[in-house]
Amino acid sequence: MKSRMAYPYIVWLSMFIVLPLLLILYYGLTAVDGSFTLDNFQRFIDPIYLRVLWRSVELALLSTAICLVLGYPMAMIIAKTEIKRRNLMVLLFILPMWMNFLLRTYAWMTLLGRNGVINNILGWAGLPELNLLYNASAVVLGMVYNFLPFMVLPIYTVLSKMDQSYIEAAKDLGANNRKVFWKVIFPLSLPGVISGVTMVFMPAVSTFVIPRLLGGGQLMLIGNLVEQQFSYVGDWNFGSAISIVMMLFILISMALMTRFDKEQQGGVGLW
Amino acid sequence: MFLVLLGILFPMMTGCSDQETLYVYNWGDYIDESVLRDFEEEFDVRIVYETYATNEDMIVKIRSGGSRYDVAIPSDYMIERMINEELLREINMDRITNYHYVKEDLKNLDFDPDNRFSVPYMWGTVGIIYNTTMVDDVVDSWEILWDETYEGDILMMDSQRDSIGITLLKLGYSLNSRDEDELEEAKQELIRQKPLVLAYVVDEGKDMMVAEEAALAVVWSGDAVIMMEENEDLEYVIPKEGSNLWFDNMVIPTTSENPELAEEFINFMTRPEIAQRNAEYIGYSTPNLGAMELLDDEITGNPAAYPPDEMLENLEVFQDPGDFLSVYDRIWTEVKAH
């Protein structure tokens, strides 16, 4: 019974995950005429492309760090509120995500633009106009804004399920609040932190819409490079090779994180 | 459940088969769809209409087979590539009785020398749109996009062929250059220009110029006409060094199973009343003289949309760079990643 239930999932998985992956692998490892080659990867090992990769990783890491710093206290606040208000808070937090991602990003363009809302308010107050849009900060802002819920929710889940007796025990044994947090709460919440970090880092490192809209195309990230290969140059082979490099990169960083997690936790993960 | 659904849908789909079906593949938002309905009525056929976002998306889909498009509307250099790859069927021009309406100097261009494969649909130029309240200098050259007075006020196109092309023209070269040194020079120019550029945009540029977020932008003429309607301070110029002349032409891909009907459709679209309605809706320039006569003088008198003939001589059509495309791509990546 159990195995028969699995068939639809297996069909789904192979059609929409395994097959596309194999296709990407095929394109990445072949030339235009279909012969086997490693040229696509060789081409990627070039300072300009590596710089693009590095810049994407840098911005994604920065956004992830900001999300963590902003998201952790948020998750704690939600986890500590009484259950009725807590659900409302989670709902309010998720509500913006019901709106289209592009729409939310466009909204930031209206807010940050030269004649945008923020600059209008500044002008009103007699303050000088700021260049808020089309730079790296705007891109990071866009990433943090869009991906923050992915950080908050897993941490919140872990925190709200945490056994309160550990905390009480620590307090009984004379630990002050700071010590309780760093020695008990934070280590216990690591699985949530790790899944939050992964869920923010992955979309952040591969996004191409945010740098295009909020970065004004001034910053080229790895997602833009892939998109350029597919929709403008028509070089599916190189585009696939870049995607493979990116996937490997994400895979390695995830492996490192889970290893770190195991060392700390003895293998209790969220997923 | 799925099988049941198929069981219901399948007879429905085959049920229409006594009526002929025409598959049309076009750019997004690039036709007055009521024109399609009229064709369906007049010829008692059904049109399946699909759209694409870039020429490259389109060619990939046609090349891979499995589709049965009867009519597509690619741009100039892509038509050249499709002819070379033998993806296009020759059009029987005897059946395109309205072809004589097409303006003479927009026929027989390099990408399809005798118009054996394509019939012009829309055309236009690339130029600079600027806000007269924000720019005091005379705008008549691509040089102004490198003028430090306008630092942070310039919008460039996020399109490698166009941006590299205008830089080559500024340097006095052809925008179809295949000379690595010339392209290297263009790359240096674009890198030098980068600090002055507010953003590299495509469609977002329209709203930004209308909202006065920038002073100067490189745009396609069709978009310029729409922007100028929305903001009276905007002005469009084709720089003196020359520019790009582009075409989107109707073609019949080899995937077509009904080329006669496709020819009927192309002829229908070239009919003056239809071409006029279509041009009015899209806002781009029609190559159809019959349609131009029917259009408002205000539209045809606008030099942004319909530049005087002597200006056309200075314009160059993109050629398919073939393998050299990867050089363009590399240069553009270097500029953007700088």
Side-chain angles (χ1 to χ4, degrees):
Chain A
M1 184 62 199
K2 201 177 170 190
S3 62
R4 218 183 303 151
M5 290 273 288
Y7 282 144
Y9 297 103
I10 290 169
V11 171
W12 181 273
L13 276 175
S14 38
M15 268 177 73
F16 298 110
I17 298 176
V18 180
L19 197 69
L21 276 176
L22 288 176
L23 272 175
I24 288 177
L25 202 66
Y26 167 77
Y27 276 111
L29 288 170
T30 50
V32 185
D33 56 12
S35 59
F36 176 82
T37 176
L38 285 174
D39 283 357
N40 300 317
F41 291 93
Q42 213 143 37
R43 192 171 149 203
F44 189 78
I45 311 170
D46 179 299
I48 49 161
Y49 297 123
L50 291 178
R51 197 190 297 158
V52 173
L53 178 67
W54 172 239
R55 167 145 299 150
S56 317
V57 171
E58 206 178 27
L59 288 182
L61 280 177
L62 181 63
S63 313
T64 314
I66 296 175
C67 278
L68 182 61
V69 170
L70 286 176
Y72 203 100
M74 185 70 214
M76 279 184 83
I77 293 169
I78 300 179
K80 274 186 184 152
T81 12
E82 51 148 335
I83 201 113
K84 253 191 192 163
R85 285 183 56 204
R86 187 198 289 179
N87 288 339
L88 181 72
M89 280 174 89
V90 173
L91 182 75
L92 284 177
F93 209 78
I94 304 177
L95 205 62
M97 288 171 75
W98 295 357
M99 246 180 293
N100 183 292
F101 166 81
L102 267 181
L103 212 63
R104 282 181 282 140
T105 310
Y106 267 109
W108 273 109
M109 292 176 73
T110 334
L111 287 173
L112 300 175
R114 178 172 297 168
N115 300 319
V117 177
I118 295 176
N119 269 326
N120 270 336
I121 294 171
L122 285 178
W124 238 45
L127 293 165
E129 191 177 83
L130 292 175
N131 276 328
L132 301 163
L133 206 52
Y134 308 126
N135 49 43
S137 327
V139 175
V140 172
L141 176 81
M143 289 182 184
V144 170
Y145 170 75
N146 278 309
F147 305 136
L148 187 61
F150 299 124
M151 181 66 85
V152 174
L153 294 175
I155 298 178
Y156 154 73
T157 315
V158 173
L159 286 179
S160 61
K161 283 182 187 154
M162 196 179 285
D163 192 341
Q164 295 298 313
S165 51
Y166 287 126
I167 299 165
E168 282 157 21
K171 280 185 177 161
D172 287 347
L173 292 169
N176 59 16
N177 280 343
R178 174 181 296 212
K179 213 163 190 173
V180 170
F181 178 76
W182 286 113
K183 292 284 178 194
V184 181
I185 300 178
F186 189 70
L188 281 176
S189 68
L190 264 182
V193 171
I194 281 161
S195 85
V197 165
T198 336
M199 279 165 77
V200 171
F201 182 76
M202 278 195 295
V205 81
S206 55
T207 177
F208 67 92
V209 179
I210 296 174
R212 188 199 289 159
L213 294 181
L214 299 179
Q218 290 273 17
L219 299 145
M220 180 175 250
L221 300 190
I222 198 93
N224 303 93
L225 196 58
V226 175
E227 192 218 359
Q228 186 176 306
Q229 298 312 315
F230 278 92
S231 40
Y232 298 101
V233 187
D235 191 343
W236 286 29
N237 306 87
F238 186 47
S240 301
I242 306 171
S243 309
I244 294 170
V245 171
M246 199 163 78
M247 278 191 279
L248 284 177
F249 210 86
I250 293 175
L251 219 77
I252 291 168
S253 46
M254 270 172 66
L256 281 176
M257 295 213 45
T258 37
R259 200 158 149 205
F260 174 68
D261 182 29
K262 271 182 194 152
E263 276 165 16
Q264 298 269 323
Q265 285 290 312
V268 195
L270 258 191
W271 33 284
Chain B
M1 174 63 196
F2 188 62
L3 283 176
V4 173
L5 213 74
L6 266 184
I8 298 168
L9 282 175
F10 206 67
M12 271 170 61
M13 288 190 301
T14 46
C16 309
S17 64
D18 51 325
Q19 211 181 16
E20 278 186 288
T21 306
L22 181 78
Y23 293 82
V24 179
Y25 200 27
N26 187 10
W27 295 83
D29 201 18
Y30 205 38
I31 202 164
D32 179 347
E33 296 205 15
S34 73
V35 165
L36 295 176
R37 301 289 89 82
D38 286 5
F39 183 80
E40 286 183 323
E41 242 169 68
E42 195 174 321
F43 292 86
D44 189 30
V45 293
R46 200 169 66 96
I47 292 181
V48 175
Y49 182 68
E50 284 179 40
T51 62
Y52 51 85
T54 68
N55 278 307
E56 283 69 18
D57 288 350
M58 182 238 16
I59 194 176
V60 164
K61 198 135 177 219
I62 285 177
R63 203 192 273 143
S64 67
S67 56
R68 43 176 297 189
Y69 299 115
D70 296 305
V71 178
I73 311 186
S75 309
D76 36 56
Y77 72 97
M78 190 50 79
I79 292 172
E80 187 183 344
R81 188 180 306 170
M82 292 175 89
I83 294 173
N84 291 337
E85 291 190 23
E86 296 178 354
L87 292 173
L88 297 185
R89 197 186 262 273
E90 259 188 67
I91 299 174
N92 181 358
M93 280 298 175
D94 295 339
R95 303 203 42 198
I96 313 296
T97 50
N98 291 324
Y99 185 60
H100 65 92
Y101 285 114
V102 176
K103 201 167 182 288
E104 270 319 307
D105 40 2
L106 305 179
K107 287 179 182 172
N108 308 326
L109 293 150
D110 288 343
F111 58 88
D112 182 11
D114 308 310
N115 278 86
R116 277 163 52 211
F117 297 95
S118 71
V119 174
Y121 179 73
M122 290 283 161
W123 67 285
T125 55
V126 171
I128 300 174
I129 193 161
Y130 66 100
N131 190 313
T132 47
T133 61
M134 295 160 90
V135 178
D136 295 326
D137 298 278
V138 181
V139 182
D140 64 351
S141 156
W142 295 113
E143 286 291 342
I144 196 151
L145 300 172
W146 274 260
D147 186 335
E148 280 164 25
T149 335
Y150 302 106
E151 181 177 348
D153 273 329
I154 298 167
L155 296 178
M156 285 292 280
M157 254 193 222
D158 195 3
S159 154
Q160 23 185 297
R161 269 320 284 281
D162 293 287
S163 287
I164 296 173
I166 61 165
T167 314
L168 286 165
L169 288 171
K170 176 184 109 81
L171 292 166
Y173 305 130
S174 157
L175 53 68
N176 285 310
S177 173
R178 282 168 178 248
D179 180 322
E180 299 235 15
D181 293 333
E182 291 177 7
L183 281 160
E184 181 61 29
E185 220 178 303
K187 181 185 100 188
Q188 294 305 336
E189 279 298 288
L190 283 165
I191 290 175
R192 186 166 72 84
Q193 183 207 27
K194 205 178 173 195
L196 309 179
V197 176
L198 176 65
Y200 297 87
V201 290
V202 187
D203 285 337
E204 313 90 89
K206 280 191 256 183
D207 292 336
M208 291 171 70
M209 285 306 292
V210 172
E212 311 195 337
E213 294 266 328
L216 297 143
V218 181
V219 291
W220 287 299
S221 53
D223 290 342
V225 172
I226 296 164
M227 288 185 245
M228 285 157 72
E229 271 168 27
E230 288 176 37
N231 187 329
E232 288 183 356
D233 294 327
L234 296 178
E235 206 68 61
Y236 178 81
V237 166
I238 299 172
K240 60 180 183 221
E241 295 94 338
S243 183
N244 170 230
L245 179 67
W246 57 259
F247 290 88
D248 290 324
N249 287 14
M250 294 177 276
V251 299
I252 305 180
T254 43
T255 52
S256 170
E257 288 171 19
N258 199 347
E260 283 80 30
L261 190 60
E263 279 158 359
E264 207 69 75
F265 180 77
I266 291 174
N267 196 37
F268 177 81
M269 293 306 290
T270 317
R271 203 185 280 173
E273 310 85 70
I274 300 295
Q276 175 239 341
R277 256 168 65 198
N278 204 26
E280 221 159 68
Y281 174 85
I282 305 172
Y284 276 48
S285 320
T286 174
N288 194 306
L289 288 174
M292 277 179 73
E293 259 170 51
L294 297 172
L295 279 168
D296 225 31
D297 286 345
E298 212 175 299
I299 299 174
T300 49
N302 184 345
Y306 297 94
D309 289 348
E310 60 270 20
M311 266 176 112
L312 293 181
E313 288 163 22
N314 216 358
L315 304 177
E316 236 182 308
V317 182
F318 277 136
Q319 289 163 8
D320 178 25
D323 292 340
F324 212 72
L325 190 64
S326 63
V327 179
Y328 276 87
D329 179 46
R330 199 196 139 80
I331 283 180
W332 188 239
T333 309
E334 282 187 53
V335 171
K336 294 285 291 290
H338 191 76

